[in-house]
Structure formats: structure tokens, C-alpha cells
Amino acid sequence: QVQLVESGGGLVQAGGSLRLSCAASGGDFSIAVMGWYRQAGGKERELVATITRVGIANYAESVKGRFTISRDNARNTVYLQMNSLKPDDTAVYYCRRTLFGINYWGKGTLVTVSS
């Protein structure tokens, strides 16, 4: 089975940094499209960033220039480096894996940015 486990969330002050990790198991990670989504209280889940199997990344306008998505295919892991964090970044961050047209989701990790 495909399993995704996020880690690295926590409490940080505005302007600080966090690095999220998503460890994947099952399936072929090297050919999967990976992504990060987030869901803030009372809002719909939104796209943060995606990265293809060859490392082509796309970002939501709200995080572009501050967040960086990367992947390590040898370790079956995708990362989200978050810098210059803002209170509006507070949300549960979810790892998403797309493999053969099917989306798989992790349980999420909470990021709280205080002012």
C-alpha cells in the first residue's frame, strides 16, 4: 500500500523557518508527482507546491520566493523548506502523491506561526 507520513511541523514565530518532510512507502516514488497542500481553519485545502519526478517545481503565488519544494528519490522523501513564515501560513500541511493518476494523502502536520 502507498503510505505518506509528514513530519517537521510545529510552532514558530513570524519570520522564522521550518522544514517539512514527507516519507513515502509503497509504489514507485521515483516516478510519482509529489506535492504539498495546506488547510487553514475554516478554509478549503489549497495547493502549496508540486514537484515532478525530474524536479520541476511549481508554487502557489502566496508562497513563491519563500518556500522551496525538493525531493530525494533515493530516500523516497519530499521536503518543503519554509522561510519567512507569516501568520497566514498557519495550517495543517498535507503531503500528496500522484501515481498513475491516483492521488494519495498523508495525515498532515500542523504548522503554527505566531505573531
Side-chain angles (χ1 to χ4, degrees), residues 8-10 12 15-20 38 48 63 66-68 79-85 89 93 109 111 113:
V12 64
S17 298
L18 286 173
R19 189 183 75 159
L20 306 183
R38 67 187 182 186
V48 176
V63 307
R66 300 187 297 120
F67 292 8
T68 302
Y79 306 94
L80 184 68
Q81 178 66 46
M82 305 184 294
N83 299 324
S84 301
L85 283 163
D89 295 319
Y93 284 71
T109 184
V111 172
V113 184

Side-chain angles (χ1 to χ4, degrees), residues 27-97:
D28 192 343
F29 179 84
S30 66
I31 65 172
V33 177
M34 304 297 297
W36 287 96
Y37 286 70
R38 67 187 182 186
Q39 186 170 16
K43 296 184 178 180
E44 187 67 28
R45 184 171 55 189
E46 65 177 355
L47 172 69
V48 176
T50 61
I51 186 167
T52 71
R53 64 185 184 276
V54 296
I56 305 300
N58 288 284
Y59 300 91
E61 189 67 27
S62 60
V63 307
K64 198 168 187 177
R66 300 187 297 120
F67 292 8
T68 302
I69 187 171
S70 61
R71 65 192 295 164
D72 186 338
N73 289 341
R75 296 183 176 182
N76 291 354
T77 303
V78 63
Y79 306 94
L80 184 68
Q81 178 66 46
M82 305 184 294
N83 299 324
S84 301
L85 283 163
K86 306 174 181 179
D88 286 346
D89 295 319
T90 296
V92 177
Y93 284 71
Y94 297 92
C95 180
R96 186 213 67 192
R97 176 180 183 176

